[in-house]
PDB file of all heavy atoms in Angstrom:
ATOM      1  N   TYR A  61       0.390 -15.430 -25.120  1.00  0.00           N
ATOM      2  CA  TYR A  61      -0.480 -14.601 -24.327  1.00  0.00           C
ATOM      3  C   TYR A  61      -0.393 -13.137 -24.672  1.00  0.00           C
ATOM      4  O   TYR A  61      -1.284 -12.463 -24.857  1.00  0.00           O
ATOM      5  CB  TYR A  61      -0.257 -14.796 -22.809  1.00  0.00           C
ATOM      6  CG  TYR A  61      -1.106 -13.868 -21.972  1.00  0.00           C
ATOM      7  CD1 TYR A  61      -2.381 -14.220 -21.519  1.00  0.00           C
ATOM      8  CD2 TYR A  61      -0.578 -12.651 -21.584  1.00  0.00           C
ATOM      9  CE1 TYR A  61      -3.099 -13.374 -20.729  1.00  0.00           C
ATOM     10  CE2 TYR A  61      -1.370 -11.772 -20.819  1.00  0.00           C
ATOM     11  CZ  TYR A  61      -2.601 -12.131 -20.343  1.00  0.00           C
ATOM     12  OH  TYR A  61      -3.347 -11.273 -19.624  1.00  0.00           O
ATOM     13  N   LYS A 169     -12.172 -20.202 -11.459  1.00  0.00           N
ATOM     14  CA  LYS A 169     -12.176 -19.574 -12.804  1.00  0.00           C
ATOM     15  C   LYS A 169     -11.871 -20.717 -13.794  1.00  0.00           C
ATOM     16  O   LYS A 169     -10.913 -21.456 -13.599  1.00  0.00           O
ATOM     17  CB  LYS A 169     -11.016 -18.529 -12.817  1.00  0.00           C
ATOM     18  CG  LYS A 169     -10.550 -18.127 -14.152  1.00  0.00           C
ATOM     19  CD  LYS A 169      -9.856 -16.698 -13.985  1.00  0.00           C
ATOM     20  CE  LYS A 169      -8.623 -16.537 -14.873  1.00  0.00           C
ATOM     21  NZ  LYS A 169      -8.100 -15.209 -14.793  1.00  0.00           N
ATOM     22  N   LYS A 171     -11.004 -22.046 -17.493  1.00  0.00           N
ATOM     23  CA  LYS A 171     -10.445 -21.548 -18.708  1.00  0.00           C
ATOM     24  C   LYS A 171     -11.138 -22.216 -19.868  1.00  0.00           C
ATOM     25  O   LYS A 171     -11.204 -23.422 -19.999  1.00  0.00           O
ATOM     26  CB  LYS A 171      -8.966 -21.933 -18.749  1.00  0.00           C
ATOM     27  CG  LYS A 171      -8.083 -21.166 -17.826  1.00  0.00           C
ATOM     28  CD  LYS A 171      -7.903 -19.784 -18.369  1.00  0.00           C
ATOM     29  CE  LYS A 171      -6.914 -18.968 -17.580  1.00  0.00           C
ATOM     30  NZ  LYS A 171      -6.664 -17.594 -18.082  1.00  0.00           N
ATOM     31  N   ASP A 200     -12.691 -17.571 -18.053  1.00  0.00           N
ATOM     32  CA  ASP A 200     -11.736 -16.696 -18.734  1.00  0.00           C
ATOM     33  C   ASP A 200     -11.605 -17.256 -20.170  1.00  0.00           C
ATOM     34  O   ASP A 200     -11.222 -18.392 -20.370  1.00  0.00           O
ATOM     35  CB  ASP A 200     -10.399 -16.716 -18.081  1.00  0.00           C
ATOM     36  CG  ASP A 200      -9.489 -15.605 -18.634  1.00  0.00           C
ATOM     37  OD1 ASP A 200      -9.819 -14.961 -19.617  1.00  0.00           O
ATOM     38  OD2 ASP A 200      -8.311 -15.438 -18.113  1.00  0.00           O
ATOM     39  N   ASN A 202      -9.797 -15.702 -22.574  1.00  0.00           N
ATOM     40  CA  ASN A 202      -8.526 -15.305 -23.146  1.00  0.00           C
ATOM     41  C   ASN A 202      -8.582 -14.879 -24.612  1.00  0.00           C
ATOM     42  O   ASN A 202      -7.813 -15.361 -25.479  1.00  0.00           O
ATOM     43  CB  ASN A 202      -7.418 -16.356 -22.956  1.00  0.00           C
ATOM     44  CG  ASN A 202      -6.903 -16.393 -21.533  1.00  0.00           C
ATOM     45  OD1 ASN A 202      -7.033 -17.407 -20.836  1.00  0.00           O
ATOM     46  ND2 ASN A 202      -6.244 -15.309 -21.120  1.00  0.00           N
ATOM     47  N   GLU A 226     -14.320 -13.253 -18.394  1.00  0.00           N
ATOM     48  CA  GLU A 226     -13.111 -12.453 -18.498  1.00  0.00           C
ATOM     49  C   GLU A 226     -12.690 -12.424 -19.966  1.00  0.00           C
ATOM     50  O   GLU A 226     -12.555 -13.515 -20.569  1.00  0.00           O
ATOM     51  CB  GLU A 226     -12.089 -13.031 -17.594  1.00  0.00           C
ATOM     52  CG  GLU A 226     -10.720 -12.389 -17.662  1.00  0.00           C
ATOM     53  CD  GLU A 226      -9.782 -12.938 -16.588  1.00  0.00           C
ATOM     54  OE1 GLU A 226     -10.219 -13.613 -15.567  1.00  0.00           O
ATOM     55  OE2 GLU A 226      -8.590 -12.742 -16.697  1.00  0.00           O
ATOM     56  N   GLN A 227     -12.468 -11.308 -20.488  1.00  0.00           N
ATOM     57  CA  GLN A 227     -11.894 -11.094 -21.821  1.00  0.00           C
ATOM     58  C   GLN A 227     -12.359 -11.973 -22.831  1.00  0.00           C
ATOM     59  O   GLN A 227     -11.614 -12.827 -23.390  1.00  0.00           O
ATOM     60  CB  GLN A 227     -10.360 -11.064 -21.724  1.00  0.00           C
ATOM     61  CG  GLN A 227      -9.703 -10.347 -22.851  1.00  0.00           C
ATOM     62  CD  GLN A 227      -9.947  -8.810 -22.826  1.00  0.00           C
ATOM     63  OE1 GLN A 227      -9.653  -8.135 -21.831  1.00  0.00           O
ATOM     64  NE2 GLN A 227     -10.483  -8.285 -23.950  1.00  0.00           N
ATOM     65  N   ASP A 251      -9.154  -8.016 -19.037  1.00  0.00           N
ATOM     66  CA  ASP A 251      -7.831  -8.463 -18.647  1.00  0.00           C
ATOM     67  C   ASP A 251      -6.832  -8.016 -19.716  1.00  0.00           C
ATOM     68  O   ASP A 251      -6.098  -7.051 -19.548  1.00  0.00           O
ATOM     69  CB  ASP A 251      -7.801  -9.956 -18.400  1.00  0.00           C
ATOM     70  CG  ASP A 251      -6.432 -10.552 -18.151  1.00  0.00           C
ATOM     71  OD1 ASP A 251      -5.519  -9.705 -17.898  1.00  0.00           O
ATOM     72  OD2 ASP A 251      -6.210 -11.764 -18.134  1.00  0.00           O
ATOM     73  N   GLU A 252      -6.715  -8.771 -20.810  1.00  0.00           N
ATOM     74  CA  GLU A 252      -5.749  -8.454 -21.853  1.00  0.00           C
ATOM     75  C   GLU A 252      -5.938  -6.953 -22.340  1.00  0.00           C
ATOM     76  O   GLU A 252      -4.981  -6.397 -22.888  1.00  0.00           O
ATOM     77  CB  GLU A 252      -5.903  -9.401 -23.068  1.00  0.00           C
ATOM     78  CG  GLU A 252      -5.234 -10.756 -22.837  1.00  0.00           C
ATOM     79  CD  GLU A 252      -6.144 -11.780 -22.201  1.00  0.00           C
ATOM     80  OE1 GLU A 252      -7.138 -11.362 -21.521  1.00  0.00           O
ATOM     81  OE2 GLU A 252      -5.989 -12.975 -22.349  1.00  0.00           O
ATOM     82  N   ALA A 273      -9.534  -6.706 -14.126  1.00  0.00           N
ATOM     83  CA  ALA A 273      -8.568  -7.635 -13.590  1.00  0.00           C
ATOM     84  C   ALA A 273      -7.159  -6.902 -13.559  1.00  0.00           C
ATOM     85  O   ALA A 273      -6.626  -6.638 -14.647  1.00  0.00           O
ATOM     86  CB  ALA A 273      -8.423  -8.900 -14.465  1.00  0.00           C
ATOM     87  N   LYS A 275      -3.467  -6.551 -13.071  1.00  0.00           N
ATOM     88  CA  LYS A 275      -2.215  -7.323 -12.999  1.00  0.00           C
ATOM     89  C   LYS A 275      -1.042  -6.378 -12.812  1.00  0.00           C
ATOM     90  O   LYS A 275      -0.892  -5.487 -13.658  1.00  0.00           O
ATOM     91  CB  LYS A 275      -2.093  -8.194 -14.257  1.00  0.00           C
ATOM     92  CG  LYS A 275      -3.155  -9.306 -14.361  1.00  0.00           C
ATOM     93  CD  LYS A 275      -2.934 -10.136 -15.558  1.00  0.00           C
ATOM     94  CE  LYS A 275      -3.869 -11.393 -15.634  1.00  0.00           C
ATOM     95  NZ  LYS A 275      -3.758 -12.114 -16.884  1.00  0.00           N
ATOM     96  N   GLU A 329      -6.806 -13.840  -7.624  1.00  0.00           N
ATOM     97  CA  GLU A 329      -6.451 -15.200  -8.139  1.00  0.00           C
ATOM     98  C   GLU A 329      -4.889 -15.383  -7.875  1.00  0.00           C
ATOM     99  O   GLU A 329      -4.209 -15.928  -8.734  1.00  0.00           O
ATOM    100  CB  GLU A 329      -6.754 -15.310  -9.656  1.00  0.00           C
ATOM    101  CG  GLU A 329      -6.109 -14.277 -10.478  1.00  0.00           C
ATOM    102  CD  GLU A 329      -6.518 -14.313 -11.948  1.00  0.00           C
ATOM    103  OE1 GLU A 329      -7.499 -14.917 -12.309  1.00  0.00           O
ATOM    104  OE2 GLU A 329      -5.735 -13.697 -12.771  1.00  0.00           O
TER     105      GLU A 329
HETATM  106 MG1   MG O 402      -7.309 -13.522 -18.009  1.00  0.00          MG
END
Side-chain angles (χ1 to χ4, degrees):
Y61 175 90
K169 162 158 143 174
K171 287 288 189 177
D200 189 356
N202 283 115
E226 177 172 343
Q227 201 67 54
D251 174 11
E252 282 88 337
K275 291 181 171 175
E329 58 182 18

